[in-house]
Amino acid sequence: MGTQHSSVQPAVAAVTPIAKHDYKHTLRRLQIELVKLQRHVIHCQDKILVIFEGRDAAGKDGTIKRIVQHLSPRETRVVALGRPSEADRGAWYFQRHVAHLPTASEFVLFNRSWYNRAGVERVMGFCDDRQYEEFMATVLDFEQMLVRSGIKLFKYYLDISQDEQIKRLAERRRDPLKQWKISPIDAEAVARWADYSRARNEMFARTHAASSPWTVVRADRKRVARLNLIKDLLLRLDYEGKNKTLLLPNPDVVFPYDEACLHNGMIAA
């Protein structure tokens, strides 16, 4: 787990920024490693599933974009489901996600996932208490079935501070190329910060398990977060020709969830 910090110390203090040139150089080297990994996944017919969760503007889109940039589009899929339809709402909650799970040789990345029920739906009242409790009572069993079927499942939560979220959402509103990202939920994300924190904390407490653990990424520094998440993912997977010296993530940036992180500044309050 990461280095311990005083509860009065800002979480971002320990994360050193990286120069753009160094970032691009390291990212290219990591993308070469990702291509090596994909070659192995295809050859061994592995099934890789990576879940990305986090608050609005946490950097999920940008991280996923860098991961898939040079991978084969035939064996790589990014899944970002929209609002559930009426038919979806009348079906088993996990049903619409099952159709997008990886098959042999596939690398699938979920930009948000079934954990919407533990976050946005819980906070915004899009599900009732019964639906929420049903999800919490069954999600680990569902994930264990996936793992036992041979799917290699990774759950990442990109964590940002309140100040950083406000800054990024403001930048999004000003950028004409990011207008598609704007939604009424953005304002609620800021206004309901504490509610989202409580929902996140309960999600961690009830869905962090040995078979499908959560990994937290401190994401106030976008470039640093991207590089360290990719390093962590590559380090945890086997493939031929791995450059192990490159794949040493900073434990102050990416680390396994632990309840203590909610109190020592490692996870934003």
Side-chain angles (χ1 to χ4, degrees), residues 162-173:
Q162 187 173 22
D163 287 346
E164 184 65 19
Q165 184 188 55
I166 292 171
K167 174 186 170 185
R168 291 183 187 181
L169 290 175
E171 290 172 351
R172 179 183 292 181
R173 289 190 292 272

Side-chain angles (χ1 to χ4, degrees), residues 55-58 160-174 186-194 220 222:
R55 300 178 193 263
D56 288 336
I160 56 173
S161 64
Q162 187 173 22
D163 287 346
E164 184 65 19
Q165 184 188 55
I166 292 171
K167 174 186 170 185
R168 291 183 187 181
L169 290 175
E171 290 172 351
R172 179 183 292 181
R173 289 190 292 272
R174 291 194 298 267
D186 289 354
E188 295 292 339
V190 175
R192 302 194 186 206
W193 175 271
D220 273 10
K222 285 185 180 181

